[in-house]
Amino acid sequence: MRARDLTWPCTPVRLDTSLREAAEILIRERAPVLAVVSEDGHPVATVSAVRVLAAALPEAVRDDPLLAAVVGESVDDDVRARAASLRLGDVLPTRLPTPAVVSPDASPVQMASLMDRTGSTVVLVVDYDGDRPNLLGTIDAAILLQHYL
């Protein structure tokens, strides 16, 4: 079994993708992360659903958990508005951590080792045709665990 056999397809996104669009993709694809790619298709980051959700929250609520308990549903419209107006590039750090990338021929043990070394729970499976990348999808730790059980 190789990475190509375990890959979960995903829709690549760019830094100019709105948080709302990002959330819609995460929900529709039941994806563990978003795969962010550059203009030429090279993987530049992975973004979790938690990061997208947190970025849509008003800063005051993120900074003060007690405030979050008090405001309740009164900020829901603010969250929706932020999700529609902000882009991934607006909320991600300038220096993005390098995503864990494997070839379609990577073995499960290679992927597990890479996850362990990088602390990433997901690897991106990328097939290169020369210098042209083709993102095949993702493999998360749960898929690898399932492979071994």
Side-chain angles (χ1 to χ4, degrees):
M1 182 115 356
R2 296 293 173 190
R4 72 172 44 84
D5 305 312
L6 298 169
T7 299
W8 185 268
C10 68
T11 301
V13 298
R14 293 202 166 80
L15 291 172
D16 63 351
T17 301
S18 74
L19 294 184
R20 180 178 175 80
E21 292 169 304
E24 289 170 349
I25 292 168
L26 285 163
I27 292 164
R28 181 179 65 244
E29 297 183 0
R30 302 183 62 83
V33 297
L34 288 170
V36 182
V37 298
S38 64
E39 291 293 323
D40 58 1
H42 290 339
V44 296
T46 57
V47 180
S48 69
V50 170
R51 179 164 274 203
V52 171
L53 181 60
L57 294 174
E59 288 183 36
V61 173
R62 283 198 330 250
D63 294 341
D64 186 353
L66 293 177
L67 180 60
V70 174
V71 295
E73 294 177 15
S74 67
V75 298
D76 285 357
D77 287 337
D78 293 338
V79 172
R80 288 182 188 97
R82 283 178 59 83
S85 67
L86 290 173
R87 308 269 173 230
L88 287 173
D90 298 332
V91 299
L92 293 177
T94 306
R95 295 193 56 150
L96 297 169
T98 304
V101 175
V102 297
S103 80
D105 294 321
S107 70
V109 73
Q110 286 174 296
M111 292 180 281
S113 175
L114 179 59
M115 287 177 181
D116 180 47
R117 282 193 322 276
T118 62
S120 176
T121 60
V122 175
V123 295
L124 302 179
V125 181
V126 180
D127 193 14
Y128 284 91
D129 181 13
D131 64 343
R132 292 183 49 128
N134 178 26
L135 176 66
L136 300 180
T138 62
I139 298 173
D140 66 11
I143 300 263
L144 287 180
L145 286 172
Q146 185 177 2
H147 168 74
Y148 284 115
L149 295 181

